[in-house]
Amino acid sequence: MQAPAPAASAPAADALAARIEGFSLDFTVLYRPDDPKMAQRPAGIEGVAYNVATWRAFDPARADLAAAQRDAATAGDGFDDRILDASADSRSADYFNAGQPVAMKPQSVRRVGDKLIATYPADPRFTLTAEVDLAAQPYPLLQWRLEARQPGYYSVGYTGGPHVAAAQASEIWQPLIWQEQRLPDRSYLTLAYRATLPTTMVREGDTAFAAIAHPGEFPFQPLPLADNSRFGVAVRDGAGGASPMIFAPVMGGAGSQLAGGASTSFRAYLVREKAGDLTRLYERLARTVYGFGDFRHNAVGSLNTTFDRMVDYSMSSYARWIAELKGSSYSTDVPGAVKNVSSLNPFELALVTDRPGMFESRVIPYVEYMLSREKFLFSLDREMKIQNPSRALRGPTAPVSELATLYAVLGKRNPALLDLARREFEGSRTRNLDVAEHGRTWQNALSLFEATGDRAMLSEAVAGADRYLASRVDTPQREFKDAAFFFWPAYVPDFVDLYRLYEASGEKRFLDAAQTGARRYTMFTWMAPAVPDAKVTVNPGGKAPVYWYLASKGHHPMSAPQEDVPAWRLSEMGLTPESSGTSTGHRAIFMANFAPWMLRIAEDAKDPFLHDVARSAIIGRYRNFPGYHINTARTTIYEQADYPLHAHKDLSVNSFHYNHIWPMATMLLDYLVSDARGRSDGAIDFPSQFIEAYAYLQNGFYGYAPGHFYGDQGVNLWMPKGLLTGFDPELNYVAGYRGDALYVALANQSDAPVASRVAIDPKLAGRVGALRVTLLSPEGAARAEGDGLAVEVPARGQVAVRIDGLRARTKIDRAGLDRPAAAVPNDSAALSVGDARAYLLDFGGFGRRGYVYLRDDDAKVVRARLRYRSGGGWKVLTDDSFPFEFSVPRGKGESFRFSLSVDKVGGGSATSPVTVLGE
């Protein structure tokens, strides 16, 4: 600290000064008389989709912003034309070129009690004062004040943090994208509303430094947006090194234009801490400065009730399933298109919630879509370029992991699925947007091992992962070159697949690496603003906020009751923005598929921060599908049970991507199972396969095989709607059955004990004898009461019971689904007519399905006909429009005998020989 040394006889003063060792009271004031015209523009970082704050360059010779080439993928929700199409001329993203920088070093620093007070040389444009309270808690508190002598635009930057040469920085962090040793290529400023924690951090060896905004400078209300961002943070100093810096106000932003005699002030904590990595300091600052903690509970109802509603919604007309295209409407972004992400989501939900109708109307068409389509996004419009859809039936769009999981969970009955998985493993494909995926990866080798038990695949996965640890986990990244940088998983080590490999191999190094990746991922979760202990008024005048993007598309305003609610219910803490490329507009998304993985890693690695982040992302947020994101203003409309039950144009608060419904319901189920596992220390668990989907939508697939409940093996996960009712809304549960016993674990989400009666629906679990309730968990109490239970669940505890005398009345027969069955012989074929592909898919108790699709489109084919054997005769199906495809139910063990004929564009026809599958 550039200050008088304290007297040697004052050890307490020495200790106080040591708290800010390495810090000075240096500032940089930016000034300009004219409007700097702050606006966001693409940063132009190669391989990275990211927008940054820019200004009209104060020094035109250093106008460093290059025009970005926009491609067709960057359109739709989250892609702001006002940013992406705007000019870069004469603009700079270097904050030190947003105004004239004036270096301010103190001419004197005096000690008054526990405070250091600095005075600065006179400047004709302004007067600056600053002081540090060395004894403030939790860290020394810096306060500054600038009084304008001349009118103009001002920004006061604290630039007195330790300056570490780039080569000496062990680790840096600036929200949102700069982690590890990826030092920004210029002095970008992150506006407050995009700072998950309002600071930057630098670590040199085992000492870390930060300058973090005081919570009082970052109000909870209104929702942080670009227009109300009062400060910004940066990490690259003017010399190209790393230093924690904070600027307030932001040039051209709120409060930056000052009249003569007007003033501006700000407070920030100066942080010097021992830290082995910056995620530890991130956690410490989040907890001690911004009050992050495990404070959410089921204020809006049990997560099971939400789960049931969401699954109901997925099957309603409001979910906009387009049966003739076998997909979910994606018209929010791409008019007329459909998009699917994984057939495993509805498959799992059908099994666990015992809904055979879902299997017939969603799962089978979904599987067919994933086998036939070239990409997740399918559009009939040949001219459509938004987000790079495909019109081709050149599948499978299903990735290696999905094909392998389908093969495994269908009892290894379908060799064609494994053949496709192995073929995709040896190739590459673009499935989403324009991101090419390589097949032979250690992650895909792991999926093939999980599906087949092939130890060679496990060895390949381990060897590949070890190389990955060396290059990606143990070696700090300096550049953006190891992935396609858009969604957050690309920015951190692959904690999901590393954890999967830990479970498969038992090797702790993979758990350690998964924990590292997961902790780095938490740095994309909101830890600010702090949540006030107060109520917030939302939906003023009975109107919900309208998202500008939907307003531009003609969506209608929505009504919602004006109400005063506790601020914590509205907080974004624990959620992430969608991606780097859309983070300017998508403040926080409700799709938190990382949460179940974090719960599991937290349990195995004993990491309470991961646990608390996971809970914060899920608990107490909504009663049904809440749409995609928090954006315009704080509101409770997402909490409403009927929020999604509106026509598409009548939804205007946030965007609806209908292909997200099943992954989100799967996320909740995964969370419930993972929470039960963690609270029981692993005594409750169910085997899972992997749902990869795309982007960040990874989760576990449950229900295909029985698990264990406190030593009782062979328990089938079973959670049909309404199985349990009448219980306290602070309770979440998982349930299962084995023989004439029902198993239930009830988890208390609150800080108070819960005593509750639990009704069991006799239509779903019928009495076959006297009810006998056995308490399996070491905590709580339970007893039979009438046809149900009475339970006492400790605060944040879990009660697990076995109820003998009840038999599950299941609709779906899962017996043997997980055990190998006779493989379907000759289960696929390629036909020259229409360049068609044919499969005979065996769905176990759901019978078989013959599926034929033409790779030729309507540029070659006018009409297609399928003639197939049915019983003792033949039937004919005709398809007069593209996509040309046929789905034919077959009975258990039944073969598929057919021929295909087409009428060609320009005249003529062709007919294939009879093909027989299944014999």
Side-chain angles (χ1 to χ4, degrees):
M1 183 73 193
Q2 296 177 355
S9 60
D14 284 340
L16 288 177
R19 298 180 77 195
I20 55 171
E21 181 183 346
F23 288 85
S24 75
L25 283 174
D26 291 356
F27 286 82
T28 300
V29 176
L30 299 180
Y31 170 79
R32 65 191 294 168
D34 60 328
D35 188 348
K37 302 290 186 185
M38 182 180 72
Q40 306 209 52
R41 297 287 187 270
I45 304 169
E46 185 177 357
V48 181
Y50 193 61
N51 301 319
V52 294
T54 69
W55 296 264
R56 200 161 48 81
F58 180 77
D59 179 356
R62 294 193 297 121
D64 56 357
L65 190 67
Q69 281 295 114
R70 185 177 185 182
D71 62 37
T74 56
D77 181 35
F79 297 103
D80 192 337
D81 296 343
R82 299 167 299 184
I83 296 172
L84 301 178
D85 291 338
S87 172
D89 291 349
S90 302
R91 301 194 71 81
S92 178
D94 186 335
Y95 194 58
F96 290 107
N97 197 20
Q100 180 184 358
V102 182
M104 299 297 291
K105 293 180 176 293
Q107 61 185 15
S108 68
V109 178
R110 58 193 174 94
R111 181 84 176 251
V112 179
D114 292 335
K115 291 184 178 181
L116 297 176
I117 301 174
T119 58
Y120 295 87
D123 188 283
R125 292 158 294 191
F126 59 85
T127 300
L128 178 68
T129 58
E131 64 178 48
V132 180
D133 183 346
L134 298 174
Q137 296 297 330
Y139 298 101
L141 181 63
L142 169 67
Q143 301 183 68
W144 70 79
R145 184 175 184 272
L146 179 144
E147 181 175 334
R149 292 183 174 181
Q150 295 180 10
Y153 289 81
Y154 291 88
S155 178
V156 183
Y158 174 69
T159 51
H163 294 265
V164 180
Q168 302 303 312
S170 305
E171 192 178 0
I172 65 99
W173 181 74
Q174 177 177 335
L176 282 160
I177 65 171
W178 293 281
Q179 287 183 329
E180 302 178 59
Q181 292 179 357
R182 291 175 173 140
L183 187 68
D185 63 336
R186 67 197 79 179
S187 298
Y188 299 109
L189 188 75
T190 300
L191 301 184
Y193 89 112
R194 295 176 77 194
T196 52
L197 195 63
T199 185
T200 59
M201 298 184 285
V202 179
R203 180 172 64 84
E204 186 176 17
D206 64 352
T207 304
F209 308 97
I212 184 169
H214 186 282
E217 304 289 356
F218 198 6
F220 183 82
Q221 184 73 340
L223 185 75
L225 300 171
D227 292 344
N228 58 36
S229 288
R230 299 181 53 251
F231 63 90
V233 295
V235 75
R236 184 186 178 100
D237 62 25
S243 181
M245 298 177 290
I246 189 163
F247 293 81
V250 176
M251 285 296 278
S256 66
Q257 184 177 17
L258 298 178
S263 64
T264 182
S265 61
F266 198 79
R267 295 164 293 166
Y269 289 114
L270 303 181
V271 179
R272 176 191 171 94
E273 287 270 19
K274 294 293 183 183
D277 71 80
L278 288 183
T279 71
R280 302 292 169 176
L281 183 55
Y282 187 86
E283 175 185 0
R284 203 171 305 150
L285 295 177
R287 291 188 187 279
T288 60
V289 178
Y290 276 83
F292 173 74
D294 186 8
F295 54 74
R296 299 191 73 89
H297 62 92
N298 279 357
V300 299
S302 171
L303 198 61
N304 292 83
T305 308
T306 297
F307 172 71
D308 288 341
R309 289 193 186 108
M310 201 175 294
V311 178
D312 281 347
Y313 170 61
S314 75
M315 296 299 292
S316 73
S317 61
Y318 294 112
R320 304 197 72 199
W321 172 260
I322 302 176
E324 57 270 25
L325 295 179
K326 301 181 189 289
S328 296
S329 170
Y330 204 66
S331 57
T332 296
D333 282 352
V334 187
V338 294
K339 190 172 189 179
N340 289 339
V341 294
S342 176
S343 63
L344 297 169
N345 292 305
F347 190 174
E348 174 193 47
L349 297 173
L351 288 177
V352 174
T353 65
D354 210 19
R355 300 189 187 214
M358 178 181 287
F359 205 95
E360 291 291 341
S361 64
R362 296 294 189 274
V363 178
I364 291 175
Y366 218 133
V367 170
E368 293 169 347
Y369 183 103
M370 300 302 288
L371 291 177
S372 59
R373 271 55 174 179
E374 182 180 48
K375 298 178 75 172
F376 295 128
L377 181 59
F378 179 81
S379 175
L380 291 175
D381 184 353
R382 297 178 188 274
E383 305 304 317
M384 180 57 66
K385 303 299 181 186
I386 298 173
Q387 297 191 15
N388 297 330
S390 172
R391 194 178 188 269
L393 271 63
R394 297 272 168 175
T397 193
V400 171
S401 62
E402 177 156 355
L403 295 164
T405 296
L406 282 170
Y407 172 73
V409 301
L410 289 172
K412 303 182 180 180
R413 295 173 171 89
N414 298 280
L417 296 175
L418 183 58
D419 291 344
L420 284 173
R422 287 171 169 161
R423 190 187 78 190
E424 294 294 304
F425 184 67
E426 298 297 342
S428 63
R429 182 183 293 272
T430 298
R431 292 180 167 87
N432 189 48
L433 301 176
D434 56 357
V435 179
E437 299 177 11
H438 300 288
R440 197 167 197 114
T441 64
W442 65 265
Q443 294 94 333
N444 283 338
L446 174 60
S447 291
L448 287 172
F449 164 71
E450 290 173 333
T452 65
D454 183 349
R455 303 292 297 184
M457 285 290 98
L458 179 59
S459 296
E460 181 168 337
V462 168
D466 280 334
R467 292 191 295 271
Y468 181 79
L469 294 189
S471 65
R472 182 63 188 86
V473 181
D474 299 335
T475 303
Q477 303 300 293
R478 292 181 173 271
E479 299 177 290
F480 295 100
K481 289 189 175 178
D482 57 303
F485 292 92
F486 186 79
F487 294 111
W488 304 126
Y491 289 87
V492 301
D494 183 2
F495 63 93
V496 168
D497 289 308
L498 288 166
Y499 182 72
R500 291 173 57 216
L501 187 56
Y502 161 68
E503 289 189 309
S505 68
E507 298 289 342
K508 186 176 182 296
R509 65 185 180 278
F510 299 127
L511 173 62
D512 294 341
Q515 182 186 16
T516 295
R519 288 189 66 89
R520 289 184 187 165
Y521 199 89
T522 65
M523 300 172 92
F524 300 111
T525 63
W526 295 107
M527 295 291 138
V531 181
D533 184 14
K535 290 190 174 183
V536 174
T537 301
V538 296
N539 312 318
K543 297 296 183 182
V546 178
Y547 178 33
W548 70 266
Y549 173 75
L550 297 179
S552 73
K553 291 180 171 292
H555 287 233
H556 312 131
M558 301 181 72
S559 297
Q562 177 174 316
E563 55 184 333
D564 297 327
V565 296
W568 71 264
R569 275 175 41 194
L570 309 170
S571 173
E572 59 271 47
M573 276 190 177
L575 299 176
T576 70
E578 180 194 37
S579 69
S580 58
T582 57
S583 57
T584 46
H586 288 173
R587 176 160 183 80
I589 60 170
F590 293 115
M591 300 291 290
N593 297 68
F594 61 83
W597 299 102
M598 284 191 183
L599 277 186
R600 288 176 172 261
I601 296 169
E603 169 64 21
D604 291 350
K606 307 306 177 190
D607 191 328
F609 187 49
L610 295 181
H611 169 273
D612 292 355
V613 170
R615 284 197 82 253
S616 297
I618 301 293
I619 296 300
R621 291 198 175 274
Y622 35 77
R623 294 181 174 93
N624 203 332
F625 185 71
Y628 196 26
H629 45 65
I630 297 170
N631 51 67
T632 309
R634 300 199 185 278
T635 176
T636 51
I637 197 168
Y638 317 120
E639 295 179 352
Q640 296 179 5
D642 64 349
Y643 172 55
L645 307 183
H646 294 85
H648 182 63
K649 288 282 188 177
D650 292 331
L651 294 163
S652 60
V653 177
N654 60 5
S655 61
F656 273 61
H657 303 278
Y658 298 96
N659 60 315
H660 287 177
I661 303 168
W662 289 295
M664 191 167 198
T666 294
M667 172 191 83
L668 297 187
L669 178 61
D670 196 353
Y671 183 90
L672 290 167
V673 173
S674 299
D675 192 31
R677 174 186 181 268
R679 289 169 186 258
S680 67
D681 293 324
I684 299 172
D685 203 8
F686 298 89
S688 66
Q689 288 280 341
F690 183 49
I691 304 176
E692 178 180 352
Y694 73 98
Y696 52 84
L697 297 175
Q698 292 74 50
N699 279 120
F701 179 101
Y702 300 94
Y704 71 98
H708 61 263
F709 232 87
Y710 282 94
D712 287 5
Q713 303 294 323
V715 178
N716 289 286
L717 182 65
W718 185 61
M719 295 168 63
K721 178 185 177 182
L723 175 64
L724 306 183
T725 57
F727 53 88
D728 190 288
E730 290 291 356
L731 300 178
N732 297 339
Y733 74 86
V734 295
Y737 69 87
R738 184 188 71 173
D740 291 341
L742 188 68
Y743 293 78
V744 177
L746 295 137
N748 184 356
Q749 305 301 310
S750 75
D751 291 326
V754 168
S756 178
R757 191 180 185 285
V758 182
I760 302 171
D761 188 344
K763 298 186 185 69
L764 296 173
R767 290 280 291 268
V768 291
L771 294 189
R772 289 182 292 111
V773 175
T774 302
L775 182 67
L776 303 176
S777 56
E779 61 180 351
R783 67 180 187 277
E785 187 173 288
D787 288 333
L789 292 172
V791 296
E792 296 175 15
V793 190
R796 296 299 175 105
Q798 179 170 266
V799 165
V801 299
R802 182 183 65 239
I803 311 166
D804 292 293
L806 291 176
R807 181 176 300 166
R809 294 174 173 171
T810 60
K811 298 174 184 176
I812 294 177
D813 179 14
R814 284 191 263 171
L817 188 62
D818 62 313
R819 292 191 293 272
V824 179
N826 187 33
D827 62 340
S828 66
L831 286 68
S832 60
V833 171
D835 195 14
R837 299 294 183 267
Y839 297 94
L840 180 59
L841 302 168
D842 193 323
F843 290 103
F846 288 95
R848 292 178 171 181
R849 186 64 58 116
Y851 178 54
V852 181
Y853 68 92
L854 280 64
R855 287 154 59 101
D856 285 349
D857 66 7
D858 46 4
K860 295 182 178 181
V861 175
V862 174
R863 182 178 299 103
R865 285 180 293 273
L866 185 79
R867 184 172 180 265
Y868 68 96
R869 187 78 175 179
S870 178
W874 291 83
K875 292 185 177 180
V876 176
L877 297 174
T878 301
D879 194 340
D880 293 318
S881 61
F882 178 79
F884 303 109
E885 55 190 334
F886 303 94
S887 185
V888 181
R890 302 277 82 190
K892 185 176 181 179
E894 190 176 2
S895 62
F896 182 35
R897 186 181 299 265
F898 68 93
S899 66
L900 178 68
S901 62
V902 300
D903 295 337
K904 300 179 179 180
V905 171
S909 63
T911 300
S912 73
V914 171
T915 300
V916 181
L917 302 181
E919 293 182 7

